[in-house]
Amino acid sequence: MLQRIRLEPSRFALHLAVLIIVAMWTLPTAGLLVSSLRDKNLIATSGWWTALTTTVRSAQTRTKEASAQVEQDGKFVISGNLFEGAEGGTGTVTAFGTKVAKPDEFAPGATAAYDDGRSLTVNADGAYTYTSPVKFEDGRGQRVFFMTSVPPAFTTENYANVLFSQGIGRAFVNSLTVTIPATIIPILIAAFAAYALAWMKIPARGFMISVVVGLLVVPLQMSLIPLLKLYNATGFLSKTYLGIWLAHTGFGLPFAIYLLRSYIAGLPRDLIESAQVDGANDFKIFRRIILPLSFPALASFAIFQFLWVWNDLLVAIVFLGTEPDKTVLTYQLNSLLGSRGGNWEILTASAFITIIVPLIVFFSLQRYFVRGLLAGSVKGG
């Protein structure tokens, strides 16, 4: 009983830490999803946590031009609706004004009088009547400032803009063309290398392991220019899928070999020796014993490598280029944001489109992820 009581604080701390980590991931993701389903004007004026409440915001527009005036009872009248072409969307007018400093000076239905005898009446639905005792001469119309209340509203227009933009479908296929081979190739090479470094007696094995560990800390940016020069010298690797597959393979191999070697080295020695006594060679041992038992570690690295390659932009631009028929999804979505990156509605919708495939991969392999990662980190030979 005393032991159980003594463990409860640590268990509570563990649960609290897990809850905090889950909240740190879930809340921003939920905000991103809600924002991707909101109108772009609402995204710019209010936070995602206000999506289920009525939002009050300011807007401005101009009345119609002087050419739209009509004469009624000896006065000149321009009629229209504030929401036609307004910077701020639709809703219900809660107040309006004639000065930018006082957009809530008058209540809906009231009449605002100007010094020269003109008057402006605005209703809650946005309909207005602009009256003058003399003929209007201003061609641009009178500026009007108003406050609106917008009820909660959601739309899929942001996703439609992203999905049906020119080049998105092709870029999606290009990303799969780059990612799938760039994930499979390093796994195959690293599995062979990991088995050799774990169980085969080869000269300078310890030195090779040290080199692999050292390569883990080398930034890939250091190798971009030398590798690109090498590609350009060969000619057939520059701006090709084979070139980017080899580049991603080289960048991912050190971590793959380190992870798989640590896992494979922790497999029971008796199992390997028994297979050798039965006459199995290294290739048969690798194919019949090592690969089936190493699937958790292979799945762990596959998740890492797939996520890295799928979300990559720098390597794709350097080694594949920006030609329309070869651009990847990350580059195409980045182009949709514009030069200033202010299209938040495009950014939020794009984020969820890009994570669909990685989520499928992760949840398909997640049962092996923790098991393979922890086993590879605590076992060694």
Side-chain angles (χ1 to χ4, degrees), residues 34-328:
V34 172
S35 296
S36 68
L37 295 172
R38 302 181 73 198
D39 179 78
K40 62 179 181 180
N41 293 317
L42 289 175
I43 295 177
T45 57
S46 60
W48 63 269
W49 52 89
T50 64
L52 299 178
T53 61
T54 299
T55 303
V56 179
R57 60 183 180 181
S58 60
Q60 60 177 316
T61 188
R62 288 182 180 272
T63 61
K64 293 181 178 179
E65 299 179 355
S67 58
Q69 64 185 311
V70 295
E71 187 175 358
Q72 296 178 358
D73 301 329
K75 295 184 177 181
F76 296 90
V77 179
I78 297 178
S79 301
N81 196 290
L82 296 180
F83 295 118
E84 296 177 358
E87 301 176 5
T90 61
T92 302
V93 176
T94 58
F96 73 98
T98 59
K99 300 178 181 179
V100 65
K102 296 181 179 180
D104 55 352
E105 185 176 3
F106 302 98
T111 299
Y114 294 87
D115 296 337
D116 55 2
R118 293 174 298 159
S119 63
L120 176 66
T121 303
V122 179
N123 298 324
D125 59 358
Y128 66 85
T129 302
Y130 186 33
T131 306
S132 175
V134 296
K135 189 175 182 179
F136 289 102
E137 300 293 342
D138 188 2
R140 297 186 60 190
Q142 177 64 40
R143 189 183 296 273
V144 182
F145 306 92
F146 58 100
M147 304 294 294
T148 62
S149 60
V150 182
F154 298 94
T155 178
T156 58
E157 182 181 356
N158 299 333
Y159 286 95
N161 291 337
V162 174
L163 289 174
F164 299 106
S165 296
Q166 185 176 2
I168 291 295
R170 178 64 181 175
F172 189 88
V173 175
N174 291 342
S175 289
L176 290 177
T177 305
V178 172
T179 305
I180 294 176
T183 302
I184 296 176
I185 294 174
I187 289 178
L188 295 177
I189 298 175
F192 282 105
Y195 172 75
L197 293 175
W199 292 105
M200 296 179 65
K201 296 180 180 180
I202 55 180
R205 185 176 67 170
F207 175 74
M208 294 181 184
I209 295 174
S210 301
V211 171
V212 170
V213 174
L215 289 175
L216 289 173
V217 300
V218 177
L220 68 88
Q221 291 83 356
M222 293 180 60
S223 62
L224 291 181
I225 295 179
L227 191 58
L228 185 59
K229 289 183 177 180
L230 177 62
Y231 277 19
N232 292 334
T234 60
F236 67 94
L237 291 176
S238 179
K239 309 299 180 183
T240 63
Y241 286 114
L242 177 59
I244 194 171
W245 293 341
L246 295 178
H248 279 301
T249 298
F251 297 145
L253 272 180
F255 177 70
I257 295 174
Y258 173 77
L259 178 65
L260 296 179
R261 187 261 169 192
S262 299
Y263 185 90
I264 293 174
L267 295 177
R269 179 179 295 273
D270 295 341
L271 193 63
I272 308 298
E273 293 177 348
S274 298
Q276 292 173 343
V277 170
D278 292 337
N281 56 26
D282 287 319
F283 182 74
K284 184 175 290 186
I285 294 174
F286 174 78
R287 184 168 56 90
R288 297 286 184 86
I289 299 176
I290 300 300
L291 280 183
L293 293 179
S294 302
F295 191 80
L298 296 174
S300 299
F301 174 73
I303 293 175
F304 277 119
Q305 182 71 358
F306 190 95
L307 293 179
W308 152 243
V309 179
W310 180 265
N311 293 320
D312 170 69
L313 177 60
L314 177 61
V315 177
I317 293 177
V318 172
F319 295 104
L320 199 58
T322 58
E323 297 178 7
D325 60 333
K326 293 183 179 179
T327 54
V328 294

